[in-house]
Amino acid sequence: MKDNPTAKIPAIPRPKSMPDANRPWQDAERESVMIALPAYMKLPMALMMYVP
């Protein structure tokens, strides 16, 4: 594209009092997800969660 159709849309400020939308998972949350995953998804998810 030559132009960005969203370039003129103003950003909506996020209130500072709101909690982080993408906070790090707690250990218990990671463990719950890994237990619930099918076997073929465990390696890809582990790589996404534990590799920086």
Side-chain angles (χ1 to χ4, degrees):
M1 299 179 102
K2 291 183 180 183
D3 298 320
N4 181 353
T6 64
K8 295 181 183 178
I9 298 174
I12 299 172
R14 181 177 172 84
K16 294 183 189 240
S17 62
M18 288 182 70
D20 288 339
N22 296 316
R23 64 169 176 74
W25 287 3
Q26 296 179 3
D27 290 339
E29 293 170 315
R30 283 192 292 272
E31 290 170 14
S32 296
V33 167
M34 292 302 287
I35 290 168
L37 285 173
Y40 71 92
M41 288 297 300
K42 290 185 188 244
L43 177 61
M45 185 61 79
L47 290 171
M48 287 187 285
M49 285 196 287
Y50 299 111
V51 176

